[in-house]
Amino acid sequence: NAGVTQTPKFRVLKTGQSMTLLCAQDMNHEYMYWYRQDPGMGLRLIHYSVGEGTTAKGEVPDGYNVSRLKKQNFLLGLESAAPSQTSVYFCASSRRRRTGTSVSTDTQYFGPGTRLTVL
Amino acid sequence: AQSVTQLGSHVSVSEGALVLLRCNYSSSVPPYLFWYVQYPNQGLQLLLKYTSAATLVKGINGFEAEFKKSETSFHLTKPSAHMSDAAEYFCATADNFNKFYFGSGTKLNVKP
């Protein structure tokens, strides 16, 4: 059981280049998330998905796109990288927990991160 | 909107001393609250979580946190710090749709 994995671990891009970060989870979780972590700012949500084929914007979505074609994978794309996107990117997943007729929250499990530098 | 505020971006304690990391939340409904730990160059690991079952929550590695509604706080404590506790700690809250909101983090330094 690998949990949440991310590829690649490190990447250096030039301004204007594109790339895709891959997140995979083997826990059959419904929800998946992409965060970026910058010094002194904690983690900020970029995009998230509540199920296969669905995505939604988080706090800082500009400049990023995502896709969830398979339940276990969540891709984060940068179409035209900018130096402001230099950051550490974390993927997370969680299950959808139901309490009676309502949906409630559950623990998020994180991947090891991808360190991206845009020159 | 839900949010958490962590007081103190850096905390330094001596080995064996009490660890106290502060977190205050802002929520109009009973919150879900979490503490995560991040070791250098690693992802976040869950320390403990509050889901209204009990106000004192015990987590891994000897950490615990107490939910105080009157103070809107969820401070993290450990009676005796160990060198291996040096890491960055994040408080987080979540809404019913599992969107998490993280604090800015507190780096804990443990002096020998």
Side-chain angles (χ1 to χ4, degrees), chain B residues 2 25 27-32 50 52 67 69 94 96:
Chain B
Q2 293 173 285
Y25 68 90
S27 172
S28 59
V29 298
Y32 299 101
Y50 168 76
S52 76
F67 173 73
K69 186 176 180 180
N96 277 340

PDB file of all heavy atoms in Angstrom, chain B residues 2 25 27-32 50 52 67 69 94 96:
ATOM      1  N   GLN B   2     -14.179  29.741   7.033  1.00  0.00           N
ATOM      2  CA  GLN B   2     -13.399  29.108   8.088  1.00  0.00           C
ATOM      3  C   GLN B   2     -11.927  29.421   7.915  1.00  0.00           C
ATOM      4  O   GLN B   2     -11.424  29.528   6.788  1.00  0.00           O
ATOM      5  CB  GLN B   2     -13.613  27.603   8.042  1.00  0.00           C
ATOM      6  CG  GLN B   2     -15.026  27.204   8.414  1.00  0.00           C
ATOM      7  CD  GLN B   2     -15.278  25.734   8.207  1.00  0.00           C
ATOM      8  OE1 GLN B   2     -15.424  25.284   7.089  1.00  0.00           O
ATOM      9  NE2 GLN B   2     -15.304  24.983   9.281  1.00  0.00           N
ATOM     10  N   TYR B  25      -9.115  29.109  15.938  1.00  0.00           N
ATOM     11  CA  TYR B  25      -9.921  28.888  14.751  1.00  0.00           C
ATOM     12  C   TYR B  25     -11.042  29.907  14.668  1.00  0.00           C
ATOM     13  O   TYR B  25     -11.432  30.518  15.655  1.00  0.00           O
ATOM     14  CB  TYR B  25     -10.497  27.462  14.756  1.00  0.00           C
ATOM     15  CG  TYR B  25     -11.536  27.230  15.828  1.00  0.00           C
ATOM     16  CD1 TYR B  25     -12.884  27.452  15.589  1.00  0.00           C
ATOM     17  CD2 TYR B  25     -11.157  26.780  17.089  1.00  0.00           C
ATOM     18  CE1 TYR B  25     -13.825  27.258  16.576  1.00  0.00           C
ATOM     19  CE2 TYR B  25     -12.094  26.586  18.090  1.00  0.00           C
ATOM     20  CZ  TYR B  25     -13.423  26.823  17.830  1.00  0.00           C
ATOM     21  OH  TYR B  25     -14.351  26.640  18.813  1.00  0.00           O
ATOM     22  N   SER B  27     -14.818  29.882  13.089  1.00  0.00           N
ATOM     23  CA  SER B  27     -15.832  29.076  12.437  1.00  0.00           C
ATOM     24  C   SER B  27     -17.189  29.394  13.038  1.00  0.00           C
ATOM     25  O   SER B  27     -17.303  29.579  14.242  1.00  0.00           O
ATOM     26  CB  SER B  27     -15.538  27.588  12.614  1.00  0.00           C
ATOM     27  OG  SER B  27     -16.599  26.797  12.136  1.00  0.00           O
ATOM     28  N   SER B  28     -18.180  29.390  12.194  1.00  0.00           N
ATOM     29  CA  SER B  28     -19.520  29.669  12.681  1.00  0.00           C
ATOM     30  C   SER B  28     -20.260  28.402  13.077  1.00  0.00           C
ATOM     31  O   SER B  28     -21.339  28.444  13.608  1.00  0.00           O
ATOM     32  CB  SER B  28     -20.317  30.410  11.603  1.00  0.00           C
ATOM     33  OG  SER B  28     -20.393  29.619  10.432  1.00  0.00           O
ATOM     34  N   VAL B  29     -19.654  27.264  12.796  1.00  0.00           N
ATOM     35  CA  VAL B  29     -20.267  25.983  13.134  1.00  0.00           C
ATOM     36  C   VAL B  29     -19.227  25.145  13.866  1.00  0.00           C
ATOM     37  O   VAL B  29     -18.038  25.435  13.794  1.00  0.00           O
ATOM     38  CB  VAL B  29     -20.755  25.243  11.876  1.00  0.00           C
ATOM     39  CG1 VAL B  29     -21.823  26.037  11.170  1.00  0.00           C
ATOM     40  CG2 VAL B  29     -19.591  24.960  10.943  1.00  0.00           C
ATOM     41  N   PRO B  30     -19.657  24.100  14.583  1.00  0.00           N
ATOM     42  CA  PRO B  30     -18.649  23.242  15.232  1.00  0.00           C
ATOM     43  C   PRO B  30     -17.628  22.774  14.213  1.00  0.00           C
ATOM     44  O   PRO B  30     -17.970  22.198  13.194  1.00  0.00           O
ATOM     45  CB  PRO B  30     -19.490  22.085  15.762  1.00  0.00           C
ATOM     46  CG  PRO B  30     -20.824  22.692  16.007  1.00  0.00           C
ATOM     47  CD  PRO B  30     -21.014  23.708  14.932  1.00  0.00           C
ATOM     48  N   PRO B  31     -16.365  23.005  14.499  1.00  0.00           N
ATOM     49  CA  PRO B  31     -15.339  22.767  13.482  1.00  0.00           C
ATOM     50  C   PRO B  31     -14.773  21.359  13.499  1.00  0.00           C
ATOM     51  O   PRO B  31     -14.876  20.648  14.473  1.00  0.00           O
ATOM     52  CB  PRO B  31     -14.254  23.757  13.877  1.00  0.00           C
ATOM     53  CG  PRO B  31     -14.326  23.754  15.383  1.00  0.00           C
ATOM     54  CD  PRO B  31     -15.795  23.584  15.712  1.00  0.00           C
ATOM     55  N   TYR B  32     -14.181  20.988  12.380  1.00  0.00           N
ATOM     56  CA  TYR B  32     -13.269  19.863  12.357  1.00  0.00           C
ATOM     57  C   TYR B  32     -11.871  20.474  12.441  1.00  0.00           C
ATOM     58  O   TYR B  32     -11.545  21.379  11.680  1.00  0.00           O
ATOM     59  CB  TYR B  32     -13.405  19.077  11.059  1.00  0.00           C
ATOM     60  CG  TYR B  32     -14.773  18.497  10.844  1.00  0.00           C
ATOM     61  CD1 TYR B  32     -15.680  19.112   9.984  1.00  0.00           C
ATOM     62  CD2 TYR B  32     -15.169  17.340  11.491  1.00  0.00           C
ATOM     63  CE1 TYR B  32     -16.941  18.586   9.777  1.00  0.00           C
ATOM     64  CE2 TYR B  32     -16.439  16.805  11.285  1.00  0.00           C
ATOM     65  CZ  TYR B  32     -17.310  17.433  10.433  1.00  0.00           C
ATOM     66  OH  TYR B  32     -18.560  16.917  10.225  1.00  0.00           O
ATOM     67  N   TYR B  50      -9.703  16.548  15.801  1.00  0.00           N
ATOM     68  CA  TYR B  50     -10.865  16.757  16.656  1.00  0.00           C
ATOM     69  C   TYR B  50     -12.120  16.672  15.805  1.00  0.00           C
ATOM     70  O   TYR B  50     -12.244  17.369  14.795  1.00  0.00           O
ATOM     71  CB  TYR B  50     -10.801  18.134  17.324  1.00  0.00           C
ATOM     72  CG  TYR B  50     -12.088  18.531  17.987  1.00  0.00           C
ATOM     73  CD1 TYR B  50     -12.453  17.972  19.209  1.00  0.00           C
ATOM     74  CD2 TYR B  50     -12.958  19.437  17.386  1.00  0.00           C
ATOM     75  CE1 TYR B  50     -13.648  18.320  19.818  1.00  0.00           C
ATOM     76  CE2 TYR B  50     -14.149  19.789  17.990  1.00  0.00           C
ATOM     77  CZ  TYR B  50     -14.485  19.226  19.195  1.00  0.00           C
ATOM     78  OH  TYR B  50     -15.674  19.566  19.790  1.00  0.00           O
ATOM     79  N   SER B  52     -15.338  16.379  17.579  1.00  0.00           N
ATOM     80  CA  SER B  52     -16.386  16.639  18.574  1.00  0.00           C
ATOM     81  C   SER B  52     -16.679  15.475  19.503  1.00  0.00           C
ATOM     82  O   SER B  52     -17.579  15.569  20.331  1.00  0.00           O
ATOM     83  CB  SER B  52     -17.681  17.130  17.916  1.00  0.00           C
ATOM     84  OG  SER B  52     -18.369  16.061  17.316  1.00  0.00           O
ATOM     85  N   PHE B  67      -9.605  21.085  22.732  1.00  0.00           N
ATOM     86  CA  PHE B  67     -10.551  21.974  22.074  1.00  0.00           C
ATOM     87  C   PHE B  67     -11.241  22.811  23.146  1.00  0.00           C
ATOM     88  O   PHE B  67     -11.851  22.256  24.059  1.00  0.00           O
ATOM     89  CB  PHE B  67     -11.586  21.164  21.300  1.00  0.00           C
ATOM     90  CG  PHE B  67     -12.700  21.978  20.719  1.00  0.00           C
ATOM     91  CD1 PHE B  67     -12.476  22.789  19.627  1.00  0.00           C
ATOM     92  CD2 PHE B  67     -13.979  21.924  21.267  1.00  0.00           C
ATOM     93  CE1 PHE B  67     -13.510  23.549  19.076  1.00  0.00           C
ATOM     94  CE2 PHE B  67     -15.011  22.672  20.730  1.00  0.00           C
ATOM     95  CZ  PHE B  67     -14.771  23.490  19.630  1.00  0.00           C
ATOM     96  N   LYS B  69     -13.954  25.706  23.233  1.00  0.00           N
ATOM     97  CA  LYS B  69     -14.894  26.505  22.446  1.00  0.00           C
ATOM     98  C   LYS B  69     -14.931  27.951  22.926  1.00  0.00           C
ATOM     99  O   LYS B  69     -15.004  28.882  22.118  1.00  0.00           O
ATOM    100  CB  LYS B  69     -16.292  25.890  22.543  1.00  0.00           C
ATOM    101  CG  LYS B  69     -17.327  26.547  21.662  1.00  0.00           C
ATOM    102  CD  LYS B  69     -18.646  25.825  21.743  1.00  0.00           C
ATOM    103  CE  LYS B  69     -19.685  26.502  20.860  1.00  0.00           C
ATOM    104  NZ  LYS B  69     -20.999  25.789  20.943  1.00  0.00           N
ATOM    105  N   ALA B  94     -11.477  22.176   8.563  1.00  0.00           N
ATOM    106  CA  ALA B  94     -12.089  21.663   7.345  1.00  0.00           C
ATOM    107  C   ALA B  94     -13.580  21.901   7.386  1.00  0.00           C
ATOM    108  O   ALA B  94     -14.186  21.943   8.462  1.00  0.00           O
ATOM    109  CB  ALA B  94     -11.797  20.182   7.172  1.00  0.00           C
ATOM    110  N   ASN B  96     -17.550  20.843   5.740  1.00  0.00           N
ATOM    111  CA  ASN B  96     -18.260  19.585   5.521  1.00  0.00           C
ATOM    112  C   ASN B  96     -18.015  18.977   4.149  1.00  0.00           C
ATOM    113  O   ASN B  96     -18.415  17.856   3.893  1.00  0.00           O
ATOM    114  CB  ASN B  96     -19.767  19.783   5.718  1.00  0.00           C
ATOM    115  CG  ASN B  96     -20.151  19.705   7.182  1.00  0.00           C
ATOM    116  OD1 ASN B  96     -19.406  19.168   7.987  1.00  0.00           O
ATOM    117  ND2 ASN B  96     -21.285  20.253   7.524  1.00  0.00           N
TER     118      ASN B  96
END
